[in-house]
Structure formats: structure tokens, C-alpha cells
Amino acid sequence: MTTSTPVPPARRAGQSQRTTSLVDRDLRSLWHPFTQHAVWPGDDPLVIDRAAGMHLWDTDGNRYLDGVSSLWVTVHGHAVPEIDEAVRRQLGRLDHSTFLGLTHEPGIELAERLLATAPVGLTRVFYAGDGSSAVEAALKMAFQATAQRRRAGAATRPLFLHVAEGYHGDTLGAVSVGGIDLFSATYRPILLATRTVSSPGVLGAGRSRVERAAEVLAEMRAALAEADGRVCAIVVEPLVQAAGGMLTHDVSFVRGVRELCDEFDVLMIVDEVATGVGRTGRMWAVEHAGITPDLMTCGKGLTGGYLPLSAVFAREEVYEAFLGVPAEARTFFHGHSYTANPLSCAAAIANLDLIAERGTVAHAAWVGERIGELTASLAARDGVVEVRRIGTMTGIEVAPVTERTGGAVCQAARRRGVWIRPLGDVVVLMPPLAIGDDDLTHLCGVVEDSVAEVLA
Ligand SMILES: Cc1ncc(COP(=O)(O)O)c(C=O)c1O
């Protein structure tokens, strides 16, 4: 057997033997997600050792401000005593038991607590593991519910309508309704059949976000008419296409999608995996639009950034479409070994407790406004194409000056003790919701200096 172990990077000044050895072992045995291993060693991989509050420490004791909430998941910070304690308490009681035909208190309580925060009309919670698996479940639910609600013999509705530049995860169903070519083009021959409309967040010259929303809604209407009753659901990210580059759109788009779904009798799936649990300054982004979807996914910040857990919220009519005697096979035949893992549920309940006690969602709205103030001068700088933001979710698009300009800005920030990760040439800021003014000012200052360094 031959292996292609990459050449380890040159040893950094002050790098310990432990770090050198861990990087070497990593490069020999691991394959990281969304990572080009032919160039990663050249980026000087960081080995994270511990975390507390807003910071991460590497194995050489260097501290980094976590500017992207460890990929958009951290809510109150790292090593939060209340969440640590809740997980420990749960460990002493029940580590895991299946949710297939059994139930448990953390799973029940979390569902009740989530429904109490959800838009009126969402009445059921189905657990999954990650954002992608929640999307996958929602797509299957939409297809099956539609089939089971229609009269016998009616034509099936195999199509999903979705939006260019969207991202819903990396499993095959989720990739099918995604719209980022880089992630989906390779797999096109094995993806589901869909209809795609343009992105309401890609404006084109002279267009306002309101005008663009109206244009894409008209495109959607035409696509629904053309598909002639074969679409079962429309899938959207509400207010911001996050992985697409923080492409923000007007609330009229989300409202218009709801209206089209009602008019064409199509289910509306809203993917709140990135936006949910406070990131936009509301608990759920759909609150900005005042609508209720038929199915809504969440994940990421659900456990405060501690453990994998995601969920699909459903309207009662969708849930009822699955009821019947077993022989009818209307059951949702879907679920995982670790569905509703009690440790994850305990972390999520503690997270929701803290959100309520500390007013974290209102604080997140303030964080968003403050990011707006702190990035105003950056937005006006030559070479910065646009700063886009919804609540705390911020994308700073820089004009490309090298092959990986966004990456170069993030490397410059890392040298200044801030950890951020780009989406192409969009530098993303998405700090933990509980971040305070000093850390936020530091984060935005470092990003401004890093952009200046790279664009100089
Ligand atoms: C809107 C949206 N949906 C789904 C996903 C996939 O979530 P996960 O990475 O937890 O599978 C993401 C991830 O970024 C996302 O932004």
C-alpha cells in the first residue's frame, strides 16, 4: 500500500515538540472536512488544546478570539459552567438510549421548550444529528407527507424548488437543494431532481434588495407554473444565504415564498440551521418576516455549541399525514442510532435556560448593531466590495488581490490572535452571541488591520 503523506510544515518559532508531533500524526492519518490537503500543511495547521469563554488556545499556549463561534455554533462561549454541569448531571443518570420506540425526559423536555419558542403553528419536533441530517429529514417528510395527503392515484410530486447560492448541508438530499456549484457540480449525476431559481441576495447592477426579491419571486411563480403540480416543497434559508457568502435578502422574499406555497399548495421548508437560536437578533429568522413555515430545521447553536443535535419542527397537518395503521406503511421510516442523545438534549436545555435568563437574543441584536458601527470605516475602504450583515451574521467581501484573498485576511488575523474562517473572498464574522464590547471591538479592529495588510 502506498500513502501520500504531505510534507509537514516548517516548524514555527516557539513551536513545541508536542505540536510538531501532533501535526505530523494528523497529516499521516486524517482527512479533514472541506479541506484541500495538498495545501493545508502550508497553512501551518493549528492544534487546539482548550477553550474558555470567547477564546481558544493552541497546544503552544497561544490564545485566539473565536470570531466565528467555532463554525457558527457557540452561543454563550466555551466551557460555560452551567452547560458543563448539565451535561455532567445527565451523564450520571442516562448516557444514551435509543429513541426508536423508547423515550426519555431530556428529549421530551427539550421538545416542549423548543416549541414554546417556535413560530405559532409548529407543533412537533423530530430530532436529527447535524444540520444536514435535519434537512435530509425535512425533504423526506415533505415528499412523503405530500404523497400521503393526496388522493389515491394522483401524480407524485418529486421536485424541490430551491435557490441558487443556497447551502443546506453535504448529504445528497441537502446537496441537491443547495446552489453552490463548487459543492454540487461533481455530484450532479446522482442528485435529486430539482428546479432552481436565482438568488435574491445576488443583486445585479442598480437593483435594490426589494426589487430583487420581487424578481426572484416572479421566477419562482413561473417555475411552479411550469412544473405543473410536480413540486412538493420550496426550500429556503431565511434572510441570509450564509455559506453562499452572507448574501442577505429582503424580508419580502420570505413572505412572498410563503404566499406562493399557499397559492400552489406546496410545503415551505425553512432552513434555520445557521440563522436559528438567536444569530439574527431574533430567536428564529422567520420572526423578522412574521410567517410560519410548514417545516423548519435548526441545528448549530441548539446545544450552545457543545454537542451535535439538530431538529425539524413540523406543523400538525404534516405530522398527521403520517398517521395510520401500521399496515398502511405511512410511518416516517427514518431515524438514527443517536437520535435525541440525552447528553445533547441536556446541553440544549441548559443553553435555552441561559438564553432566557440572560436575555441572549436581545444581546445578540445589540452585538449585530455594534458590529455595524465597528465595521463602518472598513466598509468604506477601497478594496472592500461590501459588508453584509443580518444580526450577528456578517460577511465582508474583499476584492481579490491573490488567489485566496479571504484566506490571507484570516491568516493575518490569526497572527494577531483572532480565529476567523472565510467563504472564498468573503471574510465571515460570527462571534459567540454573548460576546462583550471589549472583545467585539478587538475582533473588528483586528479584522480591519488584517484587511488593510492584505489589500496594501
Ligand atoms: C443553512 C444551513 N443548513 C444546513 C447546514 C449543514 O449543517 P451541518 O454542517 O451541521 O450538517 C449548514 C451549515 O453551514 C447551513 O448553513
Side-chain angles (χ1 to χ4, degrees):
M1 186 181 70
T2 60
T3 59
S4 49
T5 303
V7 181
R11 202 159 156 181
R12 228 180 306 138
Q15 182 169 305
S16 63
Q17 185 52 45
R18 178 181 173 218
T19 303
T20 307
S21 158
L22 285 168
V23 170
D24 189 51
R25 285 163 57 199
D26 179 296
L27 296 178
R28 283 179 197 285
S29 55
L30 277 166
W31 190 349
H32 286 260
F34 285 91
T35 298
Q36 178 44 263
H37 276 254
V39 299
W40 190 52
D43 289 347
D44 188 10
L46 271 186
V47 187
I48 297 302
D49 196 31
R50 65 189 179 91
M54 301 295 136
H55 292 93
L56 308 165
W57 279 262
D58 69 16
T59 37
D60 295 322
N62 301 306
R63 192 179 84 151
Y64 305 90
L65 180 62
D66 185 355
V68 285
S69 298
S70 293
L71 222 61
W72 319 352
V73 299
T74 312
V75 175
H76 306 284
H78 298 272
V80 180
E82 292 85 346
I83 304 181
D84 292 0
E85 183 48 34
V87 174
R88 265 191 225 108
R89 242 192 341 262
Q90 185 57 44
L91 258 178
R93 198 168 188 92
L94 171 67
D95 51 354
H96 184 68
S97 74
T98 180
F99 225 49
L100 277 67
L102 292 180
T103 192
H104 51 64
E105 188 167 356
I108 295 165
E109 185 179 339
L110 178 60
E112 291 170 347
R113 298 285 300 278
L114 282 171
L115 290 172
T117 73
V120 174
L122 294 174
T123 56
R124 298 280 163 180
V125 171
F126 185 94
Y127 292 116
D130 294 284
S132 309
S133 58
V135 169
E136 211 69 30
L139 297 175
K140 286 174 71 179
M141 280 175 181
F143 175 73
Q144 191 176 343
T146 302
Q148 290 176 180
R149 280 162 75 189
R150 293 170 74 74
R151 59 185 156 53
T156 56
R157 291 181 165 214
L159 298 178
F160 294 95
L161 182 56
H162 66 112
V163 183
E165 308 306 330
Y167 181 75
H168 299 282
D170 52 15
T171 50
L172 281 178
V175 172
S176 303
V177 294
I180 301 176
D181 269 358
L182 182 63
F183 302 153
S184 56
T186 306
Y187 307 106
R188 197 148 292 139
I190 53 170
L191 298 181
L192 302 174
T194 64
R195 295 290 180 269
T196 316
V197 294
S198 318
S199 165
V202 176
L203 300 185
R207 293 282 199 300
S208 72
R209 285 188 163 72
V210 175
E211 288 165 338
R212 186 67 184 134
E215 276 175 6
V216 178
L217 288 168
E219 236 187 89
M220 268 191 169
R221 169 181 291 283
L224 285 165
E226 192 271 330
D228 195 19
R230 283 176 303 138
V231 172
C232 73
I234 301 180
V235 189
V236 291
E237 287 168 88
L239 298 193
V240 55
Q241 293 183 295
M246 298 297 150
L247 298 169
T248 59
H249 50 258
D250 189 67
V251 286
S252 58
F253 180 69
V254 183
R255 290 193 190 119
V257 173
R258 178 68 271 178
E259 283 165 18
L260 284 175
C261 285
D262 292 340
E263 185 182 331
F264 286 84
D265 190 19
V266 164
L267 293 173
M268 181 182 192
I269 303 176
V270 166
D271 180 359
E272 291 255 15
V273 167
T275 51
V277 196
R279 286 281 160 202
T280 69
R282 299 279 182 92
M283 186 67 182
W284 308 106
V286 287
E287 291 173 25
H288 294 275
I291 60 113
T292 301
D294 301 296
L295 292 161
M296 184 173 97
T297 57
C298 73
K300 290 205 181 273
L302 180 55
T303 61
Y306 266 63
L307 288 159
L309 182 69
S310 62
V312 184
F313 294 80
R315 278 186 188 269
E316 198 66 8
E317 302 90 277
V318 176
Y319 164 79
E320 280 174 349
F322 290 80
L323 301 180
V325 296
E328 281 181 285
R330 294 169 78 89
T331 307
F332 188 44
F333 291 107
H334 184 104
H336 301 275
S337 311
Y338 287 99
T339 293
N341 172 256
L343 302 173
S344 300
C345 291
I349 294 166
N351 178 39
L352 294 181
D353 282 342
L354 290 179
I355 288 175
E357 280 163 25
R358 297 180 177 176
T360 304
V361 177
H363 180 77
W366 170 84
V367 169
E369 293 301 313
R370 191 77 182 114
I371 293 176
E373 290 165 14
L374 292 166
T375 54
S377 56
L378 178 63
R381 176 182 278 279
D382 273 354
V384 174
V385 178
E386 192 177 33
V387 176
R388 297 184 282 271
R389 187 182 60 78
I390 292 282
T392 67
M393 303 174 71
T394 311
I396 300 159
E397 184 172 346
V398 289
V401 290
T402 64
E403 207 190 326
R404 295 163 73 207
T405 308
V409 172
C410 295
Q411 284 287 353
R414 170 178 154 183
R415 288 193 292 277
R416 293 170 168 85
V418 164
W419 172 251
I420 48 179
R421 195 179 148 85
L423 294 160
D425 289 331
V426 178
V427 176
V428 174
L429 304 190
M430 212 187 295
L433 301 187
I435 193 168
D437 203 21
D438 288 352
D439 284 332
L440 201 50
T441 305
H442 180 63
L443 170 65
C444 294
V446 163
V447 170
E448 182 153 8
D449 293 347
S450 304
V451 170
E453 178 190 315
V454 172
L455 294 184

